[in-house]
PDB file of all heavy atoms in Angstrom:
ATOM      1  N   ALA A1125    -111.775  16.633-130.575  1.00 94.00           N
ATOM      2  CA  ALA A1125    -110.713  15.642-130.370  1.00 94.00           C
ATOM      3  C   ALA A1125    -109.664  16.126-129.371  1.00 94.00           C
ATOM      4  O   ALA A1125    -109.147  15.341-128.564  1.00 94.00           O
ATOM      5  CB  ALA A1125    -110.052  15.305-131.704  1.00 94.00           C
ATOM      6  N   ASP A1126    -109.365  17.443-129.387  1.00 92.00           N
ATOM      7  CA  ASP A1126    -108.319  17.960-128.504  1.00 92.00           C
ATOM      8  C   ASP A1126    -108.778  18.102-127.061  1.00 92.00           C
ATOM      9  O   ASP A1126    -107.969  18.333-126.160  1.00 92.00           O
ATOM     10  CB  ASP A1126    -107.824  19.322-129.018  1.00 92.00           C
ATOM     11  CG  ASP A1126    -108.936  20.351-129.099  1.00 92.00           C
ATOM     12  OD1 ASP A1126    -110.115  19.953-129.251  1.00 92.00           O
ATOM     13  OD2 ASP A1126    -108.638  21.555-129.019  1.00 92.00           O
ATOM     14  N   ARG A1127    -110.087  17.944-126.807  1.00 93.00           N
ATOM     15  CA  ARG A1127    -110.603  18.079-125.443  1.00 93.00           C
ATOM     16  C   ARG A1127    -110.990  16.733-124.815  1.00 93.00           C
ATOM     17  O   ARG A1127    -111.289  16.670-123.621  1.00 93.00           O
ATOM     18  CB  ARG A1127    -111.838  18.987-125.427  1.00 93.00           C
ATOM     19  CG  ARG A1127    -111.604  20.378-125.977  1.00 93.00           C
ATOM     20  CD  ARG A1127    -112.817  21.248-125.719  1.00 93.00           C
ATOM     21  NE  ARG A1127    -112.806  22.466-126.521  1.00 93.00           N
ATOM     22  CZ  ARG A1127    -113.746  23.396-126.473  1.00 93.00           C
ATOM     23  NH1 ARG A1127    -114.773  23.249-125.648  1.00 93.00           N
ATOM     24  NH2 ARG A1127    -113.676  24.475-127.246  1.00 93.00           N
ATOM     25  N   ILE A1128    -111.008  15.683-125.627  1.00 95.00           N
ATOM     26  CA  ILE A1128    -111.412  14.373-125.114  1.00 95.00           C
ATOM     27  C   ILE A1128    -110.258  13.748-124.341  1.00 95.00           C
ATOM     28  O   ILE A1128    -109.121  13.734-124.805  1.00 95.00           O
ATOM     29  CB  ILE A1128    -111.857  13.458-126.271  1.00 95.00           C
ATOM     30  CG1 ILE A1128    -113.133  14.017-126.905  1.00 95.00           C
ATOM     31  CG2 ILE A1128    -112.093  12.036-125.776  1.00 95.00           C
ATOM     32  CD1 ILE A1128    -113.576  13.269-128.151  1.00 95.00           C
ATOM     33  N   GLU A1129    -110.565  13.243-123.143  1.00 94.00           N
ATOM     34  CA  GLU A1129    -109.539  12.661-122.274  1.00 94.00           C
ATOM     35  C   GLU A1129    -109.829  11.184-122.036  1.00 94.00           C
ATOM     36  O   GLU A1129    -110.988  10.774-121.930  1.00 94.00           O
ATOM     37  CB  GLU A1129    -109.505  13.385-120.922  1.00 94.00           C
ATOM     38  CG  GLU A1129    -109.152  14.869-121.016  1.00 94.00           C
ATOM     39  CD  GLU A1129    -109.198  15.543-119.654  1.00 94.00           C
ATOM     40  OE1 GLU A1129    -109.774  14.939-118.719  1.00 94.00           O
ATOM     41  OE2 GLU A1129    -108.656  16.657-119.535  1.00 94.00           O
ATOM     42  N   SER A1130    -108.751  10.403-121.938  1.00 91.00           N
ATOM     43  CA  SER A1130    -108.882   8.988-121.566  1.00 91.00           C
ATOM     44  C   SER A1130    -108.683   8.873-120.053  1.00 91.00           C
ATOM     45  O   SER A1130    -107.775   9.497-119.488  1.00 91.00           O
ATOM     46  CB  SER A1130    -107.835   8.137-122.288  1.00 91.00           C
ATOM     47  OG  SER A1130    -108.103   8.105-123.673  1.00 91.00           O
ATOM     48  N   ARG A1131    -109.527   8.065-119.418  1.00 86.00           N
ATOM     49  CA  ARG A1131    -109.458   7.918-117.962  1.00 86.00           C
ATOM     50  C   ARG A1131    -109.467   6.438-117.612  1.00 86.00           C
ATOM     51  O   ARG A1131    -110.286   5.677-118.113  1.00 86.00           O
ATOM     52  CB  ARG A1131    -110.666   8.600-117.308  1.00 86.00           C
ATOM     53  CG  ARG A1131    -110.838  10.063-117.691  1.00 86.00           C
ATOM     54  CD  ARG A1131    -112.256  10.532-117.411  1.00 86.00           C
ATOM     55  NE  ARG A1131    -112.473  11.897-117.870  1.00 86.00           N
ATOM     56  CZ  ARG A1131    -113.665  12.432-118.051  1.00 86.00           C
ATOM     57  NH1 ARG A1131    -114.758  11.728-117.818  1.00 86.00           N
ATOM     58  NH2 ARG A1131    -113.784  13.680-118.476  1.00 86.00           N
ATOM     59  N   ASP A1132    -108.548   6.035-116.733  1.00 85.00           N
ATOM     60  CA  ASP A1132    -108.493   4.657-116.238  1.00 85.00           C
ATOM     61  C   ASP A1132    -109.057   4.608-114.821  1.00 85.00           C
ATOM     62  O   ASP A1132    -108.746   5.473-113.988  1.00 85.00           O
ATOM     63  CB  ASP A1132    -107.059   4.134-116.243  1.00 85.00           C
ATOM     64  CG  ASP A1132    -106.528   3.924-117.651  1.00 85.00           C
ATOM     65  OD1 ASP A1132    -107.319   3.506-118.509  1.00 85.00           O
ATOM     66  OD2 ASP A1132    -105.342   4.194-117.900  1.00 85.00           O
ATOM     67  N   GLU A1133    -109.880   3.601-114.569  1.00 86.00           N
ATOM     68  CA  GLU A1133    -110.508   3.484-113.246  1.00 86.00           C
ATOM     69  C   GLU A1133    -110.500   2.028-112.798  1.00 86.00           C
ATOM     70  O   GLU A1133    -110.802   1.130-113.581  1.00 86.00           O
ATOM     71  CB  GLU A1133    -111.950   4.000-113.320  1.00 86.00           C
ATOM     72  CG  GLU A1133    -112.673   3.981-111.978  1.00 86.00           C
ATOM     73  CD  GLU A1133    -114.109   4.481-112.105  1.00 86.00           C
ATOM     74  OE1 GLU A1133    -114.777   4.096-113.098  1.00 86.00           O
ATOM     75  OE2 GLU A1133    -114.570   5.238-111.239  1.00 86.00           O
ATOM     76  N   ILE A1134    -110.130   1.823-111.550  1.00 88.00           N
ATOM     77  CA  ILE A1134    -110.160   0.478-110.956  1.00 88.00           C
ATOM     78  C   ILE A1134    -111.113   0.513-109.771  1.00 88.00           C
ATOM     79  O   ILE A1134    -111.012   1.373-108.901  1.00 88.00           O
ATOM     80  CB  ILE A1134    -108.758   0.031-110.489  1.00 88.00           C
ATOM     81  CG1 ILE A1134    -107.810  -0.067-111.695  1.00 88.00           C
ATOM     82  CG2 ILE A1134    -108.841  -1.314-109.775  1.00 88.00           C
ATOM     83  CD1 ILE A1134    -106.393  -0.433-111.318  1.00 88.00           C
ATOM     84  N   THR A1135    -112.068  -0.433-109.772  1.00 89.00           N
ATOM     85  CA  THR A1135    -113.039  -0.509-108.674  1.00 89.00           C
ATOM     86  C   THR A1135    -113.048  -1.919-108.097  1.00 89.00           C
ATOM     87  O   THR A1135    -112.584  -2.872-108.731  1.00 89.00           O
ATOM     88  CB  THR A1135    -114.452  -0.145-109.164  1.00 89.00           C
ATOM     89  OG1 THR A1135    -114.808  -1.025-110.242  1.00 89.00           O
ATOM     90  CG2 THR A1135    -114.513   1.297-109.639  1.00 89.00           C
ATOM     91  N   PHE A1136    -113.597  -2.034-106.887  1.00 91.00           N
ATOM     92  CA  PHE A1136    -113.692  -3.335-106.221  1.00 91.00           C
ATOM     93  C   PHE A1136    -115.129  -3.819-106.287  1.00 91.00           C
ATOM     94  O   PHE A1136    -116.052  -3.128-105.857  1.00 91.00           O
ATOM     95  CB  PHE A1136    -113.236  -3.225-104.762  1.00 91.00           C
ATOM     96  CG  PHE A1136    -113.282  -4.527-104.013  1.00 91.00           C
ATOM     97  CD1 PHE A1136    -112.403  -5.551-104.342  1.00 91.00           C
ATOM     98  CD2 PHE A1136    -114.209  -4.742-103.006  1.00 91.00           C
ATOM     99  CE1 PHE A1136    -112.450  -6.764-103.664  1.00 91.00           C
ATOM    100  CE2 PHE A1136    -114.258  -5.957-102.321  1.00 91.00           C
ATOM    101  CZ  PHE A1136    -113.364  -6.970-102.643  1.00 91.00           C
ATOM    102  N   ASP A1137    -115.336  -5.002-106.855  1.00 89.00           N
ATOM    103  CA  ASP A1137    -116.660  -5.601-106.962  1.00 89.00           C
ATOM    104  C   ASP A1137    -116.892  -6.471-105.731  1.00 89.00           C
ATOM    105  O   ASP A1137    -116.280  -7.529-105.576  1.00 89.00           O
ATOM    106  CB  ASP A1137    -116.737  -6.438-108.245  1.00 89.00           C
ATOM    107  CG  ASP A1137    -118.129  -7.009-108.475  1.00 89.00           C
ATOM    108  OD1 ASP A1137    -118.941  -6.993-107.534  1.00 89.00           O
ATOM    109  OD2 ASP A1137    -118.405  -7.455-109.600  1.00 89.00           O
ATOM    110  N   GLU A1138    -117.792  -6.029-104.865  1.00 92.00           N
ATOM    111  CA  GLU A1138    -118.023  -6.745-103.598  1.00 92.00           C
ATOM    112  C   GLU A1138    -118.649  -8.121-103.809  1.00 92.00           C
ATOM    113  O   GLU A1138    -118.418  -9.040-103.027  1.00 92.00           O
ATOM    114  CB  GLU A1138    -118.900  -5.894-102.681  1.00 92.00           C
ATOM    115  CG  GLU A1138    -118.225  -4.616-102.217  1.00 92.00           C
ATOM    116  CD  GLU A1138    -119.067  -3.871-101.188  1.00 92.00           C
ATOM    117  OE1 GLU A1138    -120.140  -4.384-100.823  1.00 92.00           O
ATOM    118  OE2 GLU A1138    -118.632  -2.792-100.754  1.00 92.00           O
TER     119      GLU A1138
END
Side-chain angles (χ1 to χ4, degrees):
D1126 59 334
R1127 302 189 195 181
I1128 294 174
E1129 298 177 345
S1130 292
R1131 305 161 185 163
D1132 291 323
E1133 183 181 42
I1134 297 177
T1135 57
F1136 181 68
D1137 184 346
E1138 294 186 2

